[in-house]
Amino acid sequence: MNERLNGGVLLAALGGVVLLVSLFLDWYDPDFSAWDTFELADLVLASIAIAAIAGPLRPLIRPGRASNPARERIVLFLGLAALVIVIGALIQPPPGARDDSPELGAWLALVGAVLIPLGGLLASSRISLVITTRPNESVTPPSGVEAVPPPPQR
């Protein structure tokens, strides 16, 4: 079975998972997760994370359909929106956490928000990062690994 996975889409999905997990961790001290701190930004970030995670699932749901570059650009712009929201929350905390310092959840959200647009950029640009899940016969001989002769003696 010849499976080709777009590495950019996978990177964006990894960023989506990190962003979604970060929403349940503490963003501000003491024990304020994104769900406790934000009114609407948490729902927007969760929606962006789910959209990024859904990218690699599309070929599994509808096999045989060609990838759509416009859809990959959407992931890029959604990731940039998530990045703006997270950076804004780090620079200017919400009113409920104005005097608190950022915790692990906020920093993980920043990592996830960076990975999503980076993956979207790789997926939508001419830069190709493709992961093939079967061995390439043109590189690997059918019999396996060939023995490499030792270097010549001087």
Side-chain angles (χ1 to χ4, degrees):
M1 183 170 159
N2 186 5
E3 291 285 328
R4 292 179 63 115
L5 303 173
N6 188 327
V9 173
L10 291 176
L11 186 64
L14 175 67
V17 169
V18 170
L19 181 60
L20 192 62
V21 167
S22 75
L23 295 176
F24 294 96
L25 299 175
D26 291 341
W27 275 50
Y28 297 101
D29 211 24
D31 299 328
F32 284 127
S33 70
W35 303 110
D36 300 326
T37 306
F38 299 113
E39 294 177 4
L40 183 62
D42 53 354
L43 297 174
V44 172
L45 290 174
S47 300
I48 291 171
I50 290 170
I53 293 169
L57 299 178
R58 280 189 204 101
L60 299 175
I61 295 169
R62 293 186 174 177
R65 291 189 68 185
S67 66
N68 186 353
R71 187 175 291 135
E72 288 148 359
R73 271 186 242 117
I74 289 171
V75 172
L76 168 66
F77 293 122
L78 287 175
L80 289 174
L83 187 60
V84 167
I85 291 170
V86 171
I87 288 175
L90 287 171
I91 292 173
Q92 182 68 39
R98 190 163 308 274
D99 296 328
D100 299 327
S101 61
E103 294 290 322
L104 177 67
W107 299 114
L108 275 180
L110 181 63
V111 170
V114 167
L115 290 177
I116 294 173
L118 184 62
L121 180 67
L122 284 175
S124 65
S125 66
R126 293 183 186 259
I127 300 170
S128 180
L129 175 66
V130 177
I131 300 168
T132 305
T133 58
R134 66 171 178 83
N136 189 350
E137 285 84 19
S138 66
V139 176
T140 306
S143 62
V145 179
E146 293 182 12
V148 178
Q153 297 287 331
R154 289 190 189 197

